[in-house]
């Protein structure tokens, strides 16, 4: 009996994901193919930001079936990926969003100096120093700093409202979620949210703080989240429409 159980346990071990690079009309896309015991059909999705593809297939599906599916969906992929520009625009004269407002990028020409927001002729400008090829990285560092300041302030305000302590706050660059909250009270946020309008930043802070009381997405959680952020529905809608564009920006 023990031998039989052990054999069955080994049989359930999932196959490791297959990693490929898929050529979509000259655009090379990382593709992860994962077999799933309970999958009854092939599913293909574009990861947030449009930088990679993920495919789930029934266990044991023949490679030729996978390849045929990918061939049939080349047109669909082309259409969906078209909205993700490969040009980041992170250079002198380009633009970047900060709290929902488009800022023109201006390279200072100096190798040293702070990244700062200034106004030139009434136009908001993000002035960046350093080597021209490092403009994207310096902008990312600036956004992380601004995001931490905003989210720490907003999270603290909402935590006082519901009388729940925050243990720590960290900034990450996750693409599967905008934030998280652990049972120990550790909050984590994607710093890219600072490119969104202030109301959306506030919603994200309220969402994760609400998890300090409700570690779920049930009715009580959404009621509490709505109490902390009355503009919750509009903010969720904005993220659904524009979140992928924020994830798509490559700062490296």
């Amino acid at each position: 009996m023990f031998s039989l159980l052990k054999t069955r346990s080994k049989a359930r071990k999932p196959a490791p994901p297959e990693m490929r690079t898929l050529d979509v009309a000259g655009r090379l896309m990382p593709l992860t193919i994962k077999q799933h015991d309970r999958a009854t059909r092939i599913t293909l999705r574009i990861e947030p930001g449009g930088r990679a593809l993920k495919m789930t297939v029934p266990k044991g599906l023949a490679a030729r079936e996978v390849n045929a599916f990918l061939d049939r969906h080349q047109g669909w992929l082309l259409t969906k990926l078209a909205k993700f520009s490969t040009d980041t625009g992170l250079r002198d004269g380009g633009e970047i969003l900060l709290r929902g407002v488009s800022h023109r990028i201006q390279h200072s020409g100096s190798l040293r100096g702070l990244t700062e927001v200034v106004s030139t002729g009434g136009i908001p400008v993000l002035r960046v120093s350093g080597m021209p090829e490092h403009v994207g990285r310096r902008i990312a560092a600036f956004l992380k700093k601004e995001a931490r300041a905003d989210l720490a302030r907003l999270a603290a305000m909402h935590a006082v409202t519901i009388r729940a302590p925050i243990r720590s706050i960290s900034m990450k660059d996750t693409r599967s979620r905008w934030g998280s909250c652990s049972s120990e009270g550790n909050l984590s946020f994607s710093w890219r949210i600072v490119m969104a309008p202030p109301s959306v930043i506030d919603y994200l802070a309220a969402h994760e703080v609400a998890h300090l009381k409700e570690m779920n997405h049930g009715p009580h959680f959404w009621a509490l989240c709505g109490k902390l952020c009355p503009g919750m529905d509009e903010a969720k809608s904005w993220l659904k429409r524009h979140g992928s564009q924020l994830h798509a920006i490559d700062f490296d």
Side-chain angles (χ1 to χ4, degrees), residues 233-244:
D233 291 338
E234 292 81 1
K236 287 172 63 179
S237 178
W238 191 97
L239 272 180
K240 186 175 182 179
R241 295 195 311 271
H242 304 290
S244 291

Side-chain angles (χ1 to χ4, degrees), residues 64-78:
R64 64 176 180 277
E65 297 285 345
V66 173
N67 295 334
F69 182 92
L70 290 170
D71 288 341
R72 290 197 305 271
H73 288 80
Q74 279 276 322
W76 178 84
L77 283 171
L78 274 172

